[in-house]
Amino acid sequence: MTDFLTRIGKCYIVDAEDVSRFTEDPIRFIRTQHGDLFTMIRKLRKAVKRHILDEEALLDMREKTKPEHHIDVTKKLQTHKAQHESFVKSLEELEKMFETHIQDYDKIHIHRL
């Protein structure tokens, strides 16, 4: 947990009622959080894409070296890889949804954003 707190900052894991974290300009604080969250989403998407490339390389390697009498898993592998594509798209959609939320709600209700 310490590494997690170090990477994202303690300001993201506090009691919602505790406003002491707004020591300076609260608008700037929220803008900084928005930027941090976009950075985290992008880093997560990049890490997931890297993981998927590695995993699919391993799946392909194992498919090529499977024993002669092994059951046919071609369709299962295709489904597995399609699930990867769906997962990456959901992360891309998350980023778009967050941007839309900021434009449609935050900038209206917190004007200086």
Side-chain angles (χ1 to χ4, degrees):
M1 187 63 145
T2 302
D3 187 44
F4 180 71
L5 284 174
T6 301
R7 289 176 187 264
I8 70 164
K10 291 181 182 177
C11 63
Y12 298 99
I13 306 174
V14 294
D15 181 12
E17 302 296 319
D18 178 13
V19 295
S20 65
R21 63 194 175 285
F22 296 132
T23 56
E24 295 180 23
D25 180 5
I27 301 301
R28 184 172 163 218
F29 183 83
I30 296 299
R31 281 186 191 144
T32 299
Q33 283 187 332
H34 284 167
D36 291 349
L37 291 167
F38 276 116
T39 298
M40 286 186 263
I41 292 168
R42 289 181 190 118
K43 285 183 177 183
L44 175 61
R45 193 173 68 236
K46 184 177 178 180
V48 166
K49 284 181 178 181
R50 175 76 262 162
H51 168 73
I52 287 170
L53 289 172
D54 293 342
E55 186 175 298
E56 289 184 0
L58 177 61
L59 290 171
D60 292 343
M61 182 182 75
R62 294 197 62 197
E63 175 69 6
K64 290 176 185 174
T65 61
K66 70 180 179 190
E68 189 177 313
H69 299 292
H70 193 279
I71 61 170
D72 183 16
V73 293
T74 305
K75 287 184 181 180
K76 288 183 180 184
L77 290 176
Q78 289 171 343
T79 301
H80 188 155
K81 290 178 180 183
Q83 181 61 37
H84 286 165
E85 291 174 26
S86 175
F87 187 61
V88 169
K89 285 180 184 177
S90 71
L91 292 173
E92 291 167 353
E93 185 62 27
L94 173 64
E95 186 173 8
K96 289 175 188 172
M97 288 173 60
F98 187 51
E99 179 61 40
T100 299
H101 171 83
I102 291 169
Q103 296 300 322
D104 293 352
Y105 297 98
D106 293 354
K107 286 190 175 184
I108 291 170
H109 297 124
I110 307 172
H111 303 291
R112 289 178 33 218
L113 288 177

